[in-house]
Amino acid sequence: MTEEVKRVYAFGKDAQGNNVTEGNTHMKAQLGGKGANLAEMANIGLPVPPGFTITCQTCMEYANADNTWPEGALDTIQSYREDLEARMGKKIGDAADPLLVSVRSGAPMSMPGMMDTVLNLGLNDESINGLIAQTENPRFAWDSYRRFIQMFSNVVMGLDGDLFENAITSMKNVRGAASDTDLSADDLKELVAEFKQIFSENVSAEEYPSLVVDGSVQFPQDPSAQLQLAIEAVFGSWNNPRAVLYRKQNKIADDLGTAVNVQSMVFGNKGNTSATGVAFTRNPANGEKEFYGDYLVNAQGEDVVAGIRNTSPIADLKHVEGLEEAGRELEEVFVTLENHFRDMCDIEFTIEQGKLWMLQTRVGKRTAAAALHIDIEMEKEGLISKEEAVMRVDPEQLDQLLHPQFDKNASYDVVAKGLNASPGAAVGEAVFSAADAVAVTEAGRKCVLVRWETNPDDLAGMIAAEGILTSHGGKTSHAAVIARGMGAPCVCGVEALKIDAEKKEAAVAGTDIVIREGDMVSIDGTTGSVVLGAVDLVLPELTGDLDTILEWADEFRTMGVRANADNPEDAELSRSFGAEGIGLCRTEHMFLGDRKQIIQSFILNDEPAIREKALADLLEAQTGDFYGMFKAMDGLPVIVRLLDPPLHEFLESPRDLEVEIARLEASGTPAAELADKRQLLSLVDAMAEANPMLGLRGCRLAILYPELPAMQTRAIATAAARLKKEGLDPEPEIMIPLVSVLPELETLRGEVEAVIAEVCEAEGVELDIPIGTMIELPRAAVTADEIATQADFFSFGTNDLTQTTFGFSRDDVEAKFIPRYLERRILPCNPFETVDAGVAALVDMGCTKGRATNPDIQLGVCGEHGGDPDSVKTFHKIGLTYVSCSPYRVPLARLAAGQAALAEKMGDHRDK
């Protein structure tokens, strides 16, 4: 059985009891996880029913050739089938003593329940008699046959499973049977005939002409036809909708394919000395070291997972009459597997008339809390090293520990989907304005703020609400960024929501569903789901295990982790999560609420006295802001970004003003009051820009309005000076945003340094405040060697750098076409979630050029990518000094940075 391209591998023993397995656990890419681990269990001497595995590569060859078999593949499969029959001493479909097989999927990455399985293949109207004769158990034989027809019809032919379940229910009602096991052999024989009739009536003759006999579709009797159709169905299940969605959510490549495992059947439904079950070597919910799982007596595997019958706990198995020995052996197998794979294992087993058989093992899925606990306990037990414990934790899974989640046992209907902008789940009354959110919260009720898109004016409502839901904007929109910073769940860009803020309702496009003010809604910011009604939540439970794993990661990481925070509360939260400073303090967020009137008076008045009064008021307020921030982060760096957004963002919306003017006109408002409103609208319109993201903002704003950066610098320096006098150790740094040419930075650095010198002289203290810039334009990256001569640090603003590199408007593209780009594989991932290779190349270039002219320059990232684990690993390779992210992403970034350093270390060892 040799071939140029090996497409099939045997596993298990031959007829003489010799192990003839051709694969092992390191061949998951070829054999899939299930096939590789079946081979491994056979290699270490565990009882595995013999079979063979068709490779994942064969699946992709078949799929890429428009479901056409590669040349010679079917001949090879036939050869391995004959070998299996020889090893078992039985033939598939034999009328006297039939061999029955299962046909199961098995991808390289675990995808539990996403693809298809067929059991009892090989039964037909002749071989059923042989099975009855060999087992002397007619009921078992007819039960196996009806299961096979039902599963084959559903999985292979795509028939609705309810057609068969309804027939079973009808039979039980007629017979007065409480469960399937109460049906007799004759009942099941009758069901087989009914199932074949259902098959005949519902399978298309045009689609399956090979199944037409005497003018009508018949259930296939030829075992070769059964086997080929089943294998093709399992290959096809690689691209079924649930498998595609699972891969997308878990970042699994679409071109891996699934293997197919053809394995001799063992039966858990041969009476009370037979059973089947699923188990874990440890508790997957909390990580405790206990055997965990369920079993059913006299059942097949699908009964356990389908929930048709109530299961029993695995700990009871060794006490059940007739199953005692198999139960004790199973516990020994648990220990063998865990010691061999050095991880918690998920196991499927069958006991056939007292004999234990292992059908599958894999590294088991577990909650985040369990993952941490298992890793720490296994390190204590000496099973794994501290390095392995850190590498095993999925950074994204830590979100489960930091945010509420939908209860996985809850039942609910998703009415709309959007972008999963900020993790966690929230439940509350729908409200359509920030003011209503505040009012509802003050009344002691919970709410979800529903908006077309949020703006700075909505901050009070965003803070009050349990979660935020918008119909516009992407993952780096205002709503998303603020929500992540606060740790609030957020779903953005739900385009199906047609929001009427005036009526306080939102219609779901394509349905008759309308969400009205006061209706209970639930949102899941981890998946982007929107639910009408209240879904039960599971609250996070922070444990010492998280601190332990993060401390271990800190031992290995070489890159710092800071936080993006704009107020003392967020700063303190960031510090509690292990942030080593503030990498981005957005000062524009300090100009909201009551202060908005102050900045508006500065913007809208030309009179020097009014402007000076506004600046004085802002100076007093900003000094207090920075005093609180620096005090909360005493002894750690705090990078303050000078005012960045265009000034018109602090003004009224022209659309709202036009509506207000129209209403005033209709109500007969005096001309003088109307004139004031019209003048305000004229001023706002005059400041509007066609593309404000690329307009008058950042350093350009500072150059045109030098009094603004001077005021902010004075506030920063004054706050630092006061704290120094109090014996504290403030470490402010000043960041000048959106620099594109060296003279911009030279000009503003000189002005900032002059103000700092004035404050030092006035306060009688010495201040060493580094001055740097935000690299968020491609020109700045490619001329970083020039800009670095005037910068103490670079902070790469990868949100805007991604926009300007791609030419994307982030608030538009994430909802409009990026989902389609991802679906069609034009982009491998959302570049606003995980840093794009081209953007990373600009960051790398900026770092290399910056260090060439300024070897001591500090290099960091302060975009949202700083909290994305995959991006963190990219930034580690580039050699950044630190990453900065929202407070609730700090633990993820710490873990990812530690893993990146360990991966590099392990790679170096392999190279040596």
Side-chain angles (χ1 to χ4, degrees):
M1 286 174 282
T2 59
E3 55 187 341
E4 188 173 330
V5 177
K6 188 165 179 60
R7 293 194 174 94
V8 188
Y9 290 75
F11 61 82
K13 295 180 178 180
D14 64 13
Q16 290 73 46
N18 302 308
N19 181 30
V20 294
T21 301
E22 297 177 300
N24 58 59
T25 193
H26 303 297
M27 297 177 67
K28 290 183 174 66
Q30 296 84 21
L31 306 180
K34 185 175 294 181
N37 287 340
L38 282 168
E40 191 72 5
M41 286 195 295
N43 287 333
I44 63 175
L46 296 184
V48 175
F52 59 87
T53 302
I54 307 166
T55 64
C56 301
Q57 289 69 35
T58 306
C59 170
M60 292 312 299
E61 287 182 83
Y62 174 80
N64 293 335
D66 196 22
N67 295 346
T68 301
W69 281 95
E71 185 177 354
L74 288 174
D75 292 337
T76 303
I77 292 169
Q78 177 62 22
S79 176
Y80 271 82
R81 169 190 162 178
E82 291 170 0
D83 172 69
L84 177 61
E85 291 173 333
R87 288 195 275 154
M88 299 301 297
K90 300 181 179 184
K91 291 191 174 184
I92 299 175
D94 185 71
D97 187 11
L99 170 64
L100 304 186
V101 296
S102 62
V103 181
R104 299 172 183 259
S105 63
M109 310 290 284
S110 178
M111 296 173 58
M114 294 303 109
M115 292 174 293
D116 293 330
T117 293
V118 178
L119 303 180
N120 304 333
L121 189 142
L123 278 171
N124 57 27
D125 293 347
E126 293 185 357
S127 63
I128 180 69
N129 297 314
L131 189 60
I132 292 171
Q134 292 297 323
T135 63
E136 297 181 347
N137 189 339
R139 190 197 179 284
F140 157 73
W142 287 110
D143 186 42
S144 299
Y145 197 8
R146 73 91 186 164
R147 288 172 182 270
F148 172 50
I149 298 172
Q150 182 174 355
M151 189 173 282
F152 189 94
S153 300
N154 176 243
V155 169
V156 179
M157 312 308 292
L159 300 190
D160 187 347
D162 285 345
L163 293 170
F164 302 92
E165 286 298 330
N166 292 340
I168 296 172
T169 300
S170 178
M171 172 70 76
K172 287 193 294 186
N173 290 338
V174 170
R175 299 291 190 265
S179 71
D180 298 359
T181 55
D182 295 325
L183 294 175
S184 69
D186 287 340
D187 294 334
L188 294 167
K189 182 177 180 180
E190 190 176 324
L191 270 179
V192 165
E194 188 173 351
F195 280 12
K196 288 194 288 186
Q197 185 62 33
I198 292 171
F199 184 96
S200 180
E201 291 172 355
N202 289 276
V203 173
S204 166
E206 291 182 9
E207 199 172 341
Y208 294 96
S210 63
L211 300 182
V212 175
V213 178
D214 297 331
S216 64
V217 171
Q218 300 294 322
F219 187 81
Q221 297 293 304
D222 178 4
S224 295
Q226 293 177 358
L227 184 59
Q228 182 173 334
L229 285 169
I231 293 170
E232 289 172 354
V234 174
F235 277 167
S237 69
W238 174 251
N239 285 317
N240 71 37
R242 67 178 184 270
V244 171
L245 177 61
Y246 186 90
R247 291 199 296 274
K248 180 180 178 182
Q249 290 180 325
N250 291 275
K251 298 181 180 179
I252 298 173
D254 287 324
D255 60 357
L256 299 179
T258 180
V260 173
N261 300 287
V262 179
Q263 187 174 23
S264 53
M265 284 290 300
V266 288
F267 298 95
N269 58 334
K270 277 190 174 181
N272 290 334
T273 60
S274 300
T276 188
V278 175
F280 297 82
T281 57
R282 302 195 186 208
N283 189 317
N286 59 28
E288 291 299 321
K289 191 171 183 179
E290 61 184 5
F291 301 140
Y292 180 99
D294 303 293
Y295 73 93
L296 279 173
V297 175
N298 195 22
Q300 283 199 314
E302 73 269 21
D303 296 339
V304 177
V305 295
I308 296 170
R309 291 165 53 192
N310 290 330
T311 58
S312 300
I314 204 73
D316 295 348
L317 183 61
K318 62 186 177 184
H319 304 299
V320 177
E321 185 178 353
L323 299 173
E324 302 96 334
E325 183 60 35
R328 286 190 288 270
E329 185 184 354
L330 180 64
E331 293 191 354
E332 293 173 5
V333 168
F334 285 169
V335 175
T336 299
L337 286 173
E338 192 168 273
N339 287 336
H340 183 77
F341 287 102
R342 299 183 312 115
D343 208 339
M344 181 196 82
C345 294
D346 172 357
I347 295 162
E348 293 180 20
F349 67 91
T350 286
I351 301 169
E352 183 181 74
Q353 296 179 322
K355 166 69 174 170
L356 175 67
W357 294 96
M358 304 306 299
L359 304 184
Q360 176 175 325
T361 191
R362 61 190 171 200
V363 172
K365 298 288 184 183
R366 64 206 76 179
T367 65
L372 299 178
H373 192 67
I374 289 169
D375 288 344
I376 291 169
E377 290 302 305
M378 285 189 168
E379 192 273 340
K380 289 179 183 176
E381 295 164 17
L383 270 180
I384 62 175
S385 66
K386 193 179 289 187
E387 289 87 345
E388 287 175 297
V390 170
M391 291 298 288
R392 283 184 177 182
V393 180
D394 179 2
E396 293 285 4
Q397 208 181 15
L398 294 187
D399 273 339
Q400 288 183 23
L401 298 177
L402 302 173
H403 303 281
Q405 306 287 332
F406 281 180
D407 186 340
K408 64 180 181 181
N409 297 316
S411 177
Y412 54 88
D413 294 321
V414 175
V415 300
K417 292 278 284 188
L419 300 169
N420 50 333
S422 181
V427 177
E429 299 176 22
V431 296
F432 292 84
S433 72
D436 288 339
V438 172
V440 167
T441 303
E442 288 178 348
R445 305 195 307 276
K446 295 181 178 181
C447 66
V448 172
L449 179 60
V450 184
R451 301 285 283 159
W452 184 78
E453 164 61 315
T454 61
N455 60 57
D457 280 345
D458 292 323
L459 185 61
M462 296 172 76
I463 293 171
E466 296 293 305
I468 299 145
L469 171 62
T470 74
S471 61
H472 183 68
K475 292 186 179 179
T476 49
S477 64
H478 177 269
V481 171
I482 298 301
R484 281 194 293 271
M486 297 190 304
C490 178
V491 177
C492 286
V494 186
E495 293 203 314
L497 279 187
K498 306 305 176 187
I499 296 173
D500 188 328
E502 186 176 347
K503 290 184 178 179
K504 298 185 177 182
E505 64 181 34
V508 180
T511 74
D512 57 1
I513 296 172
V514 178
I515 300 171
R516 295 182 172 86
E517 183 181 42
D519 288 348
M520 293 299 291
V521 294
S522 305
I523 63 170
D524 187 344
T526 306
T527 64
S529 298
V530 181
V531 177
L532 181 57
V535 178
D536 291 338
L537 301 183
V538 177
L539 298 179
E541 295 183 12
L542 292 178
T543 66
D545 290 341
L546 175 59
D547 287 336
T548 299
I549 287 289
L550 292 177
E551 287 167 6
W552 289 356
D554 290 342
E555 291 178 22
F556 304 117
R557 67 180 170 90
T558 57
M559 186 168 60
V561 176
R562 302 184 188 181
N564 301 341
D566 312 323
N567 56 67
E569 294 75 23
D570 282 353
E572 289 172 4
L573 178 66
S574 303
R575 193 162 191 161
S576 72
F577 280 145
E580 298 158 323
I582 301 299
L584 175 62
C585 173
R586 306 175 184 89
T587 55
E588 59 268 19
H589 292 166
M590 300 172 175
F591 286 15
L592 305 176
D594 295 340
R595 301 178 192 177
K596 188 174 178 182
Q597 301 299 322
I598 304 174
I599 189 68
Q600 284 183 349
S601 67
F602 174 86
I603 298 167
L604 297 174
N605 284 280
D606 292 329
E607 294 183 30
I610 295 177
R611 283 198 159 189
E612 286 175 12
K613 174 67 167 61
L615 288 170
D617 290 343
L618 288 172
L619 174 63
E620 181 180 358
Q622 289 259 271
T623 302
D625 293 333
F626 297 134
Y627 178 91
M629 287 287 295
F630 302 158
K631 187 173 184 179
M633 300 303 291
D634 183 50
L636 296 176
V638 178
I639 295 181
V640 180
R641 182 177 71 185
L642 299 182
L643 197 61
D644 181 45
L647 290 181
H648 73 77
E649 287 196 11
F650 298 104
L651 303 179
E652 305 298 331
S653 160
R655 181 189 301 174
D656 292 345
L657 277 172
E658 288 171 351
V659 171
E660 184 181 358
I661 290 168
R663 285 178 177 164
L664 291 173
E665 288 173 336
S667 63
T669 300
E673 187 177 338
L674 279 172
D676 289 343
K677 288 291 183 183
R678 289 191 181 110
Q679 183 183 9
L680 177 58
L681 177 60
S682 177
L683 288 168
V684 171
D685 282 340
M687 300 195 74
E689 296 177 286
N691 191 342
M693 192 200 81
L694 299 177
L696 182 58
R697 54 170 286 222
C699 66
R700 305 157 191 172
L701 186 67
I703 289 171
L704 265 65
Y705 295 92
E707 53 268 66
L708 284 174
M711 176 275 296
Q712 290 195 298
T713 301
R714 191 173 300 279
I716 292 166
T718 301
R722 290 178 185 174
L723 288 166
K724 286 200 93 172
K725 289 179 180 179
E726 294 172 15
L728 298 180
D729 183 24
E731 294 187 23
E733 303 180 22
I734 294 176
M735 180 158 66
I736 297 168
L738 211 72
V739 164
S740 59
V741 294
L742 178 60
E744 289 173 325
L745 183 57
E746 283 179 321
T747 300
L748 292 172
R749 182 180 182 110
E751 294 173 3
V752 166
E753 287 178 331
V755 174
I756 293 172
E758 291 174 11
V759 172
C760 288
E761 184 174 352
E763 296 287 342
V765 297
E766 287 189 13
L767 295 174
D768 180 16
I769 300 179
I771 300 169
T773 187
M774 201 167 184
I775 304 293
E776 47 199 323
L777 297 171
R779 190 187 191 282
V782 300
T783 60
D785 49 345
E786 299 175 13
I787 294 173
T789 60
Q790 291 293 313
D792 299 315
F793 64 87
F794 284 167
S795 183
F796 291 87
T798 50
N799 295 345
D800 277 356
L801 188 58
T802 298
Q803 292 194 90
T804 53
T805 300
F806 275 95
F808 284 167
S809 167
R810 65 190 178 202
D811 287 346
D812 295 318
V813 303
E814 282 198 301
K816 291 289 190 294
F817 66 79
I818 280 191
R820 185 68 173 147
Y821 267 42
L822 297 176
E823 183 182 325
R824 299 193 64 185
R825 301 185 182 89
I826 292 171
L827 287 173
C829 58
N830 184 339
F832 293 106
E833 287 182 31
T834 299
V835 68
D836 169 71
V839 175
L842 284 173
V843 174
D844 193 10
M845 179 188 297
C847 292
T848 302
K849 284 177 168 285
R851 286 193 177 113
T853 56
N854 184 353
D856 297 325
I857 195 167
Q858 298 289 296
L859 303 165
V861 159
C862 64
E864 286 299 308
H865 296 104
D868 171 65
D870 289 337
S871 302
V872 169
K873 292 168 186 176
T874 299
F875 297 140
H876 171 86
K877 290 177 184 176
I878 291 171
L880 292 181
T881 312
Y882 66 87
V883 294
S884 188
C885 56
S886 57
Y888 283 90
R889 302 289 281 182
V890 167
L892 282 72
R894 288 170 62 191
L895 178 60
Q899 290 176 337
L902 282 171
E904 183 179 63
K905 179 182 175 183
M906 292 172 182
D908 289 345
H909 287 169
R910 282 192 293 269
D911 292 342
K912 291 175 183 176

